[in-house]
Amino acid sequence: MRIGVAGAGAVGSYFGSMLEQAGYPVTFLARGAHLAAMQKHGLVIDGDSADVYSTKTFTDDIEDLAASDLILFSVKSNDTARMAEQLLPILQDDALILTMQNGVDNEEILEATFGRDRLLSAATYVQAFLEAPGKVRQRGRVKLLIGELDSTASSACEEVIETFQAAGVDAVHSGQILKRKWDKLLWNVTFNPLAAASGAKVGQILDDPSLRKTAAAISSEVINVAVAAGIAVEPEPTTSKIFSNAVYARNHQTSMLQDRLQGKRMEVESMCGFIVRKAEELGLEVPTLQSIYSTLSFMNQQIESG
């Protein structure tokens, strides 16, 4: 299986490197200083259990992904539509698309572009960040939940899961992948935007009474939206799980905070805006999340204006 990584940031670089180490041909699509460093020195994964080195194909030419049998779609949600439109005309008709992105709205965009029968989705549980150009640090557990959006892709989905397992990745099938991604979104929305706005790591949010109270308010608001949207969520057990799981990520610097510190646009719309708009559609109030959303949206404008 030939694999293309569309968006070789921390997550794409980590999983692409694992697959390359297992003997699969992998092409990494990247840009900027990260690409330049990889082309010159290779890619280094400072892993929790071992270091991984990749030295093969790093490119900024999307045509180099044309022969891929599987695309690890791992760009930021801000770039989903643009990347999908660029990939569509060059990929083989039977190439599989696996979105490894945050949020629950990317699937709809990708389905509109590629169709439902070759689209797979993954809930990714990995603490990885770009420590320096060409170097990714990974700590803690790694797990992938992968599922098909259409039953016709079930056998293809199983093959992809086996491919990750062969690379030593804990990958399992989920028959309710969108529900599981909602579960992950609930955790992300509770901590990710607040971390970006405050500059705090997850453990600092847990330990600071005011920040923890704000996180709890966000969590409650978002769970209410999920329930009203028909997602099978039980509020009290879900809240307990969100905060108990956060203990294992105490030292984690969330992806949105990483982007802010690196001067990059944050995934504000996919992470916050989607929930805010869904709440409005359902006639619900989300005042705490709305405040964070407004703050981060303004920060994004400042980043974009330079």
Side-chain angles (χ1 to χ4, degrees):
M1 181 176 284
R2 293 162 297 188
I3 296 157
V5 180
V11 171
S13 294
Y14 174 76
F15 287 108
S17 291
M18 294 296 290
L19 292 167
E20 185 183 284
Q21 289 293 305
Y24 296 98
V26 179
T27 299
F28 298 83
L29 181 70
R31 60 188 179 188
H34 186 45
L35 172 63
M38 292 190 294
Q39 289 177 327
K40 188 173 182 179
H41 303 294
L43 170 62
V44 178
I45 306 294
D46 177 3
D48 198 23
S49 57
D51 289 348
V52 177
Y53 300 89
S54 296
T55 58
K56 300 291 177 63
T57 307
F58 308 104
T59 182
D60 60 358
D61 185 353
I62 199 167
E63 294 283 346
D64 291 335
L65 301 186
S68 301
D69 301 303
L70 170 66
I71 293 291
L72 306 187
F73 200 94
S74 51
V75 299
K76 296 295 185 181
S77 297
N78 306 323
D79 296 324
T80 296
R82 179 188 60 82
M83 179 61 73
E85 290 167 3
Q86 291 179 342
L87 283 170
L88 181 63
I90 69 165
L91 290 179
Q92 306 170 84
D93 290 340
D94 59 351
L96 297 169
I97 313 297
L98 173 64
T99 170
M100 309 186 82
Q101 300 161 286
N102 287 322
V104 295
D105 56 341
N106 293 293
E107 285 79 1
E108 184 175 344
I109 298 170
L110 293 172
E111 181 183 341
T113 303
F114 296 107
R116 194 176 180 86
D117 58 345
R118 59 172 172 154
L119 178 60
L120 308 176
S121 183
T124 61
Y125 299 93
V126 59
Q127 296 178 40
F129 67 94
L130 197 61
E131 186 174 58
K135 185 175 182 179
V136 173
R137 174 175 288 189
Q138 175 273 318
R139 292 292 183 267
R141 69 165 182 161
V142 176
K143 188 178 183 67
L144 286 179
L145 298 179
I146 303 176
E148 65 278 7
L149 272 66
D150 190 282
S151 59
T152 58
S154 58
S155 60
C157 185
E158 184 59 36
E159 182 181 0
V160 170
I161 290 170
E162 291 173 356
T163 298
F164 279 104
Q165 290 173 342
V169 176
D170 181 7
V172 296
H173 180 259
S174 173
Q176 295 182 305
I177 188 59
L178 292 182
K179 163 64 168 60
R180 298 306 295 267
K181 292 198 76 169
W182 259 97
D183 290 342
K184 185 185 177 189
L185 176 63
L186 295 176
W187 190 96
N188 265 325
V189 176
T190 297
F191 292 100
N192 220 317
L194 183 56
S198 65
K201 292 184 178 180
V202 172
Q204 292 173 309
I205 292 174
L206 293 175
D207 294 341
D208 182 88
S210 295
L211 288 177
R212 187 180 181 111
K213 185 176 180 179
T214 301
I218 294 171
S219 179
S220 177
E221 291 172 4
V222 177
I223 288 172
N224 287 341
V225 173
V227 171
I231 307 301
V233 173
E234 296 182 43
E236 288 189 15
T238 300
T239 301
S240 177
K241 186 175 182 180
I242 286 171
F243 281 88
S244 63
N245 284 344
V247 173
Y248 300 102
R250 290 187 58 86
N251 296 320
H252 183 50
Q253 196 175 70
T254 68
S255 61
M256 288 181 72
L257 177 55
Q258 290 177 47
D259 286 340
R260 178 190 166 187
L261 294 176
Q262 294 168 18
K264 298 178 180 178
R265 288 176 66 226
M266 298 170 284
E267 294 182 285
V268 176
E269 292 305 322
S270 183
M271 196 79 71
C272 306
F274 170 77
I275 297 293
V276 169
R277 289 186 292 273
K278 180 64 71 174
E280 184 177 356
E281 175 188 320
L282 295 168
L284 297 175
E285 298 289 333
V286 286
T288 314
L289 182 62
Q290 175 67 62
S291 296
I292 298 291
Y293 173 53
S294 300
T295 300
L296 295 179
S297 294
F298 181 77
M299 288 181 179
N300 260 359
Q301 292 172 26
Q302 300 303 108
I303 291 169
E304 290 167 3
S305 62

